[in-house]
Short mmCIF file of all heavy atoms in Angstrom, two decimals:
data_model
loop_
_atom_site.label_atom_id
_atom_site.label_comp_id
_atom_site.label_asym_id
_atom_site.label_seq_id
_atom_site.Cartn_x
_atom_site.Cartn_y
_atom_site.Cartn_z
N VAL A 1 195.87 112.97 -11.27
CA VAL A 1 196.85 111.91 -10.97
C VAL A 1 196.33 110.54 -11.39
O VAL A 1 197.10 109.73 -12.03
CB VAL A 1 197.10 111.91 -9.39
CG1 VAL A 1 197.92 110.63 -9.09
CG2 VAL A 1 197.90 113.11 -9.03
N VAL A 2 195.09 110.24 -11.19
CA VAL A 2 194.48 108.94 -11.61
C VAL A 2 194.57 108.78 -13.11
O VAL A 2 194.96 107.75 -13.63
CB VAL A 2 193.05 108.84 -11.09
CG1 VAL A 2 192.34 107.65 -11.80
CG2 VAL A 2 192.98 108.61 -9.57
N PHE A 3 194.22 109.87 -13.84
CA PHE A 3 194.24 109.75 -15.30
C PHE A 3 195.67 109.69 -15.82
O PHE A 3 195.92 109.03 -16.89
CB PHE A 3 193.48 110.92 -15.95
CG PHE A 3 192.03 110.63 -16.08
CD1 PHE A 3 191.11 110.94 -15.02
CD2 PHE A 3 191.54 110.09 -17.22
CE1 PHE A 3 189.79 110.71 -15.12
CE2 PHE A 3 190.18 109.81 -17.37
CZ PHE A 3 189.27 110.11 -16.33
N LEU A 4 196.61 110.34 -15.17
CA LEU A 4 198.03 110.22 -15.55
C LEU A 4 198.48 108.78 -15.40
O LEU A 4 199.22 108.21 -16.26
CB LEU A 4 198.88 111.11 -14.69
CG LEU A 4 198.81 112.60 -15.03
CD1 LEU A 4 199.61 113.42 -14.02
CD2 LEU A 4 199.37 112.85 -16.50
N TYR A 5 197.99 108.11 -14.37
CA TYR A 5 198.39 106.70 -14.16
C TYR A 5 197.68 105.81 -15.19
O TYR A 5 198.30 104.88 -15.73
CB TYR A 5 197.94 106.22 -12.78
CG TYR A 5 198.06 104.75 -12.54
CD1 TYR A 5 199.37 104.15 -12.33
CD2 TYR A 5 196.96 103.91 -12.64
CE1 TYR A 5 199.42 102.80 -12.18
CE2 TYR A 5 197.10 102.55 -12.49
CZ TYR A 5 198.37 101.99 -12.26
OH TYR A 5 198.49 100.62 -12.12
N ILE A 6 196.44 106.13 -15.56
CA ILE A 6 195.71 105.33 -16.60
C ILE A 6 196.43 105.48 -17.90
O ILE A 6 196.65 104.48 -18.61
CB ILE A 6 194.26 105.79 -16.68
CG1 ILE A 6 193.50 105.43 -15.40
CG2 ILE A 6 193.59 105.21 -17.93
CD1 ILE A 6 192.08 105.98 -15.35
N PHE A 7 196.84 106.67 -18.26
CA PHE A 7 197.54 106.86 -19.52
C PHE A 7 198.87 106.12 -19.52
O PHE A 7 199.25 105.53 -20.55
CB PHE A 7 197.76 108.40 -19.76
CG PHE A 7 196.66 109.04 -20.47
CD1 PHE A 7 195.85 109.91 -19.82
CD2 PHE A 7 196.41 108.83 -21.85
CE1 PHE A 7 194.77 110.52 -20.48
CE2 PHE A 7 195.40 109.43 -22.50
CZ PHE A 7 194.57 110.33 -21.82
N TYR A 8 199.55 106.18 -18.38
CA TYR A 8 200.84 105.44 -18.29
C TYR A 8 200.64 103.92 -18.36
O TYR A 8 201.46 103.20 -18.95
CB TYR A 8 201.57 105.84 -17.01
CG TYR A 8 202.94 105.25 -16.86
CD1 TYR A 8 204.02 105.81 -17.46
CD2 TYR A 8 203.11 104.05 -16.19
CE1 TYR A 8 205.28 105.26 -17.37
CE2 TYR A 8 204.41 103.46 -16.00
CZ TYR A 8 205.45 104.14 -16.66
OH TYR A 8 206.71 103.54 -16.58
N HIS A 9 199.53 103.51 -17.82
CA HIS A 9 199.26 102.01 -17.83
C HIS A 9 198.92 101.52 -19.27
O HIS A 9 199.44 100.50 -19.68
CB HIS A 9 198.08 101.71 -16.90
CG HIS A 9 197.74 100.23 -16.86
ND1 HIS A 9 198.46 99.29 -16.28
CD2 HIS A 9 196.59 99.65 -17.42
CE1 HIS A 9 197.84 98.13 -16.44
NE2 HIS A 9 196.71 98.31 -17.11
N PHE A 10 198.15 102.31 -20.00
CA PHE A 10 197.73 101.91 -21.32
C PHE A 10 198.86 102.15 -22.34
O PHE A 10 199.09 101.37 -23.29
CB PHE A 10 196.46 102.67 -21.76
CG PHE A 10 195.25 102.15 -21.10
CD1 PHE A 10 194.17 102.97 -20.87
CD2 PHE A 10 195.14 100.82 -20.76
CE1 PHE A 10 193.02 102.46 -20.30
CE2 PHE A 10 193.96 100.32 -20.18
CZ PHE A 10 192.93 101.14 -19.92
N TYR A 11 199.61 103.32 -22.19
CA TYR A 11 200.58 103.74 -23.13
C TYR A 11 201.86 104.06 -22.36
O TYR A 11 202.02 105.14 -21.82
CB TYR A 11 200.12 104.97 -23.93
CG TYR A 11 198.77 104.80 -24.55
CD1 TYR A 11 197.66 105.38 -23.96
CD2 TYR A 11 198.55 103.95 -25.66
CE1 TYR A 11 196.35 105.21 -24.46
CE2 TYR A 11 197.28 103.82 -26.17
CZ TYR A 11 196.20 104.42 -25.57
OH TYR A 11 194.94 104.21 -26.09
N ARG A 12 202.71 103.04 -22.32
CA ARG A 12 203.97 103.12 -21.53
C ARG A 12 204.79 104.31 -21.93
O ARG A 12 205.05 104.62 -23.11
CB ARG A 12 204.73 101.84 -21.73
CG ARG A 12 205.92 101.63 -20.76
CD ARG A 12 205.39 101.47 -19.34
NE ARG A 12 204.62 100.24 -19.25
CZ ARG A 12 204.01 99.94 -18.07
NH1 ARG A 12 204.13 100.62 -17.04
NH2 ARG A 12 203.27 98.81 -18.03
N ASN A 13 205.18 105.06 -20.84
CA ASN A 13 206.00 106.29 -20.98
C ASN A 13 205.25 107.36 -21.81
O ASN A 13 205.85 108.31 -22.29
CB ASN A 13 207.32 106.01 -21.69
CG ASN A 13 208.22 105.13 -20.83
OD1 ASN A 13 208.17 105.15 -19.63
ND2 ASN A 13 209.01 104.23 -21.49
N TYR A 14 203.92 107.23 -21.95
CA TYR A 14 203.07 108.20 -22.61
C TYR A 14 203.44 108.38 -24.11
O TYR A 14 203.17 109.41 -24.76
CB TYR A 14 203.13 109.58 -21.94
CG TYR A 14 202.78 109.49 -20.48
CD1 TYR A 14 203.75 109.66 -19.51
CD2 TYR A 14 201.48 109.28 -20.10
CE1 TYR A 14 203.47 109.60 -18.13
CE2 TYR A 14 201.14 109.20 -18.73
CZ TYR A 14 202.14 109.42 -17.76
OH TYR A 14 201.84 109.36 -16.41
N THR A 15 204.05 107.42 -24.69
CA THR A 15 204.51 107.53 -26.14
C THR A 15 203.85 106.39 -26.95
O THR A 15 203.55 105.30 -26.43
CB THR A 15 206.04 107.40 -26.24
OG1 THR A 15 206.49 106.16 -25.66
CG2 THR A 15 206.73 108.57 -25.51
N LEU A 16 203.81 106.66 -28.23
CA LEU A 16 203.29 105.70 -29.21
C LEU A 16 204.42 105.28 -30.13
O LEU A 16 205.14 106.14 -30.64
CB LEU A 16 202.14 106.32 -30.04
CG LEU A 16 200.91 106.76 -29.27
CD1 LEU A 16 199.93 107.43 -30.23
CD2 LEU A 16 200.24 105.60 -28.61
N PRO A 17 204.61 103.97 -30.36
CA PRO A 17 205.67 103.52 -31.27
C PRO A 17 205.18 103.75 -32.67
O PRO A 17 204.04 103.87 -32.96
CB PRO A 17 205.78 102.01 -30.96
CG PRO A 17 204.40 101.64 -30.43
CD PRO A 17 203.86 102.82 -29.70
N ARG A 18 206.15 103.75 -33.59
CA ARG A 18 205.85 103.90 -35.00
C ARG A 18 205.28 102.56 -35.58
O ARG A 18 204.38 102.62 -36.42
CB ARG A 18 207.08 104.27 -35.83
CG ARG A 18 207.63 105.62 -35.40
CD ARG A 18 208.87 105.96 -36.20
NE ARG A 18 209.43 107.26 -35.79
CZ ARG A 18 209.04 108.43 -36.28
NH1 ARG A 18 208.11 108.49 -37.17
NH2 ARG A 18 209.54 109.56 -35.79
N VAL A 19 205.76 101.43 -35.11
CA VAL A 19 205.35 100.14 -35.57
C VAL A 19 205.09 99.26 -34.36
O VAL A 19 205.82 99.27 -33.41
CB VAL A 19 206.43 99.48 -36.49
CG1 VAL A 19 205.95 98.15 -37.01
CG2 VAL A 19 206.85 100.44 -37.65
N VAL A 20 203.96 98.54 -34.44
CA VAL A 20 203.66 97.54 -33.38
C VAL A 20 203.50 96.18 -34.04
O VAL A 20 203.06 96.05 -35.20
CB VAL A 20 202.37 97.87 -32.64
CG1 VAL A 20 202.54 99.14 -31.82
CG2 VAL A 20 201.17 98.03 -33.61
N LYS A 21 203.95 95.11 -33.37
CA LYS A 21 203.87 93.75 -33.88
C LYS A 21 202.67 93.07 -33.24
O LYS A 21 202.60 93.00 -32.02
CB LYS A 21 205.18 92.99 -33.62
CG LYS A 21 206.34 93.61 -34.43
CD LYS A 21 207.61 92.80 -34.29
CE LYS A 21 208.73 93.36 -35.10
NZ LYS A 21 208.47 93.32 -36.55
N CYS A 22 201.84 92.49 -34.03
CA CYS A 22 200.59 91.90 -33.54
C CYS A 22 200.57 90.42 -34.02
O CYS A 22 200.75 90.15 -35.19
CB CYS A 22 199.39 92.64 -34.02
SG CYS A 22 197.81 92.03 -33.44
N GLU A 23 200.20 89.51 -33.13
CA GLU A 23 200.06 88.11 -33.48
C GLU A 23 198.75 87.50 -32.91
O GLU A 23 198.68 86.29 -32.63
CB GLU A 23 201.28 87.25 -32.97
CG GLU A 23 201.57 87.48 -31.50
CD GLU A 23 202.82 86.70 -31.13
OE1 GLU A 23 203.20 85.78 -31.82
OE2 GLU A 23 203.39 87.01 -30.03
N LEU A 24 197.78 88.35 -32.71
CA LEU A 24 196.50 87.93 -32.18
C LEU A 24 195.65 87.30 -33.29
O LEU A 24 195.70 87.74 -34.43
CB LEU A 24 195.75 89.13 -31.52
CG LEU A 24 196.42 89.82 -30.40
CD1 LEU A 24 195.67 91.09 -30.02
CD2 LEU A 24 196.53 88.91 -29.17
N PRO A 25 194.91 86.29 -32.96
CA PRO A 25 193.97 85.72 -33.95
C PRO A 25 192.89 86.75 -34.29
O PRO A 25 192.49 87.53 -33.34
CB PRO A 25 193.38 84.44 -33.30
CG PRO A 25 193.59 84.69 -31.82
CD PRO A 25 194.79 85.55 -31.64
N PRO A 26 192.47 86.91 -35.52
CA PRO A 26 192.70 85.97 -36.65
C PRO A 26 193.85 86.27 -37.55
O PRO A 26 193.87 85.90 -38.74
CB PRO A 26 191.35 86.18 -37.41
CG PRO A 26 191.04 87.64 -37.26
CD PRO A 26 191.49 87.93 -35.83
N CYS A 27 194.85 87.01 -37.04
CA CYS A 27 196.04 87.30 -37.86
C CYS A 27 196.77 86.02 -38.14
O CYS A 27 196.98 85.13 -37.28
CB CYS A 27 197.01 88.28 -37.14
SG CYS A 27 196.21 89.82 -36.74
N PRO A 28 197.19 85.82 -39.43
CA PRO A 28 197.79 84.53 -39.81
C PRO A 28 199.11 84.22 -39.17
O PRO A 28 199.57 83.14 -38.99
CB PRO A 28 197.94 84.64 -41.32
CG PRO A 28 197.95 86.04 -41.63
CD PRO A 28 197.07 86.74 -40.54
N ASN A 29 199.84 85.33 -38.82
CA ASN A 29 201.20 85.21 -38.19
C ASN A 29 201.52 86.60 -37.59
O ASN A 29 200.62 87.39 -37.36
CB ASN A 29 202.24 84.88 -39.27
CG ASN A 29 202.13 85.73 -40.52
OD1 ASN A 29 201.91 86.94 -40.47
ND2 ASN A 29 202.21 85.07 -41.68
N VAL A 30 202.76 86.83 -37.21
CA VAL A 30 203.13 88.09 -36.59
C VAL A 30 203.15 89.13 -37.72
O VAL A 30 203.88 88.99 -38.71
CB VAL A 30 204.54 87.98 -35.96
CG1 VAL A 30 205.00 89.34 -35.40
CG2 VAL A 30 204.58 86.95 -34.84
N VAL A 31 202.34 90.14 -37.57
CA VAL A 31 202.17 91.18 -38.53
C VAL A 31 202.67 92.51 -38.03
O VAL A 31 202.56 92.78 -36.82
CB VAL A 31 200.73 91.30 -39.08
CG1 VAL A 31 200.29 89.99 -39.76
CG2 VAL A 31 199.77 91.66 -37.98
N ASP A 32 203.14 93.38 -38.91
CA ASP A 32 203.53 94.70 -38.52
C ASP A 32 202.37 95.68 -38.80
O ASP A 32 201.78 95.66 -39.85
CB ASP A 32 204.77 95.20 -39.29
CG ASP A 32 206.03 94.41 -38.92
OD1 ASP A 32 206.10 93.91 -37.80
OD2 ASP A 32 206.89 94.24 -39.85
N CYS A 33 202.04 96.47 -37.77
CA CYS A 33 200.95 97.48 -37.95
C CYS A 33 201.59 98.87 -37.71
O CYS A 33 202.41 99.04 -36.78
CB CYS A 33 199.86 97.23 -36.92
SG CYS A 33 198.99 95.63 -37.15
N PHE A 34 201.09 99.77 -38.50
CA PHE A 34 201.74 101.10 -38.57
C PHE A 34 200.70 102.14 -38.06
O PHE A 34 199.56 102.20 -38.56
CB PHE A 34 202.20 101.48 -39.91
CG PHE A 34 203.16 100.47 -40.49
CD1 PHE A 34 202.75 99.40 -41.22
CD2 PHE A 34 204.53 100.59 -40.28
CE1 PHE A 34 203.60 98.46 -41.68
CE2 PHE A 34 205.44 99.73 -40.76
CZ PHE A 34 204.99 98.60 -41.49
N ILE A 35 201.11 102.98 -37.06
CA ILE A 35 200.31 103.98 -36.50
C ILE A 35 200.34 105.29 -37.26
O ILE A 35 201.42 105.69 -37.71
CB ILE A 35 200.71 104.20 -35.02
CG1 ILE A 35 200.57 102.91 -34.20
CG2 ILE A 35 199.89 105.33 -34.36
CD1 ILE A 35 201.10 103.08 -32.80
N SER A 36 199.20 105.89 -37.44
CA SER A 36 199.17 107.19 -38.17
C SER A 36 199.68 108.35 -37.35
O SER A 36 199.35 108.50 -36.19
CB SER A 36 197.68 107.46 -38.55
OG SER A 36 197.57 108.76 -39.03
N ARG A 37 200.61 109.08 -37.91
CA ARG A 37 201.23 110.28 -37.32
C ARG A 37 201.67 110.11 -35.87
O ARG A 37 201.19 110.85 -34.95
CB ARG A 37 200.26 111.48 -37.43
CG ARG A 37 199.91 111.79 -38.90
CD ARG A 37 199.13 113.10 -38.93
NE ARG A 37 197.74 112.92 -38.58
CZ ARG A 37 196.79 113.82 -38.64
NH1 ARG A 37 197.05 115.04 -39.08
NH2 ARG A 37 195.58 113.57 -38.26
N PRO A 38 202.50 109.12 -35.58
CA PRO A 38 202.90 108.89 -34.16
C PRO A 38 203.69 110.08 -33.55
O PRO A 38 203.49 110.35 -32.37
CB PRO A 38 203.76 107.66 -34.22
CG PRO A 38 204.28 107.56 -35.65
CD PRO A 38 203.21 108.22 -36.46
N THR A 39 204.51 110.78 -34.26
CA THR A 39 205.31 111.90 -33.77
C THR A 39 204.40 112.99 -33.34
O THR A 39 204.54 113.54 -32.18
CB THR A 39 206.30 112.37 -34.81
OG1 THR A 39 207.18 111.32 -35.23
CG2 THR A 39 207.11 113.52 -34.18
N GLU A 40 203.42 113.38 -34.15
CA GLU A 40 202.53 114.48 -33.79
C GLU A 40 201.70 114.08 -32.57
O GLU A 40 201.44 114.92 -31.71
CB GLU A 40 201.65 114.76 -34.98
CG GLU A 40 200.77 116.03 -34.85
CD GLU A 40 200.00 116.35 -36.08
OE1 GLU A 40 199.96 115.53 -37.06
OE2 GLU A 40 199.42 117.42 -36.15
N LYS A 41 201.28 112.80 -32.56
CA LYS A 41 200.46 112.36 -31.39
C LYS A 41 201.23 112.40 -30.11
O LYS A 41 200.76 112.72 -29.02
CB LYS A 41 199.86 111.03 -31.69
CG LYS A 41 198.80 111.03 -32.77
CD LYS A 41 198.28 109.61 -33.09
CE LYS A 41 197.20 109.66 -34.16
NZ LYS A 41 196.75 108.35 -34.51
N ASN A 42 202.50 111.98 -30.22
CA ASN A 42 203.35 111.97 -29.05
C ASN A 42 203.58 113.39 -28.50
O ASN A 42 203.69 113.62 -27.30
CB ASN A 42 204.73 111.33 -29.34
CG ASN A 42 204.62 109.85 -29.48
OD1 ASN A 42 203.76 109.21 -28.81
ND2 ASN A 42 205.53 109.23 -30.25
#
């Protein structure tokens, strides 16, 4: 139960998106990042 909660907290609905938008430094602006094989991982 604890690990199910941890997974839900880190990865909402236990799913990985295909594209994530990141604007953290040192990124110059909002950049698109692509996850490898998201469907298989989900």
